[in-house]
């Protein structure tokens, strides 16, 4: 019975003193894309020291993809980075973390899927690569 009461007492102390501290951590509500941007379809992946965010942006005549690193407080780290730069619509981005880099996939002009890798600091590791898919039959 003494052990049970000790556990209840420790848990009560945790709720009383520690949980209010944890509950006060708030994310920033600041915009991570530039002022002139028209972002849509954001995707997020957990990285080594924060989060990678990729989105579609229509600030130009066609849709391009942008990337930003966000810290655990929700603040952008550095400036946004333009991932694509072509004359077609780059849409429906998806992002994953492989333990070293972010992998970004997207629809290239609504007809093909492309891929690139982005370092956590935002620079591209390789050029855009088309993902080739075949259908048997």
């Amino acid at each position: 019975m003494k052990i049970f009461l000790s556990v209840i007492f420790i848990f009560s102390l945790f709720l009383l003193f520690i949980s209010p501290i944890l509950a006060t951590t708030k994310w920033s509500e600041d915009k991570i894309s530039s002022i002139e941007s028209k972002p849509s379809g954001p995707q997020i992946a957990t990285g080594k020291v924060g989060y990678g965010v990729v989105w579609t942006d229509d600030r130009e005549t066609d849709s391009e993809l942008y990337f930003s690193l966000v810290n655990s407080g929700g603040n952008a780290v550095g400036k946004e980075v333009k991932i694509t730069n072509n004359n077609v619509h780059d849409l429906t981005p998806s992002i994953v973390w492989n333990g070293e880099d972010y992998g970004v996939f997207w629809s290239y002009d609504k007809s093909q899927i492309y891929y690139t890798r982005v370092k956590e600091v935002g620079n591209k590791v390789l050029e855009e690569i088309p993902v080739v898919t075949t259908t048997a039959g």
Side-chain angles (χ1 to χ4, degrees):
M1 185 69 171
K2 286 183 180 181
I3 294 174
F4 177 74
L5 291 175
S6 296
V7 170
I8 295 297
F9 177 73
I10 292 170
F11 184 68
S12 299
L13 288 176
F14 173 80
L15 290 176
L16 185 63
F17 294 106
I18 304 299
S19 63
I21 295 169
L22 297 175
T24 60
T25 302
K26 292 185 178 180
W27 266 56
S28 167
E29 293 182 17
D30 295 334
K31 188 174 184 177
I32 63 171
S33 58
S34 68
I35 300 297
E36 68 275 358
S37 70
K38 297 176 185 172
S40 65
Q43 298 292 308
I44 188 169
T46 302
K48 184 165 53 172
V49 296
Y51 305 92
V53 182
V54 65
W55 66 92
T56 302
D57 202 305
D58 291 334
R59 70 181 82 168
E60 299 175 7
T61 57
D62 60 337
S63 302
E64 300 293 349
L65 299 184
Y66 287 80
F67 171 88
S68 184
L69 181 64
V70 176
N71 66 22
S72 60
N75 299 306
V77 178
K79 295 188 180 229
E80 64 185 17
V81 176
K82 191 174 186 180
I83 300 297
T84 59
N85 188 18
N86 51 47
N87 58 357
V88 299
H89 292 289
D90 298 303
L91 304 168
T92 61
S94 181
I95 187 170
V96 296
W97 172 254
N98 70 5
E100 186 177 327
D101 303 317
Y102 290 100
V104 178
F105 297 83
W106 70 93
S107 171
Y108 178 87
D109 200 28
K110 301 180 185 179
S111 63
Q112 193 168 11
I113 298 171
Y114 269 66
Y115 165 80
T116 192
R117 284 183 17 226
V118 180
K119 284 286 188 197
E120 198 161 36
V121 292
N123 57 320
K124 286 171 52 172
V125 176
L126 51 89
E127 289 303 312
E128 300 146 6
I129 299 172
V131 177
V132 179
T133 57
T134 59
T135 305

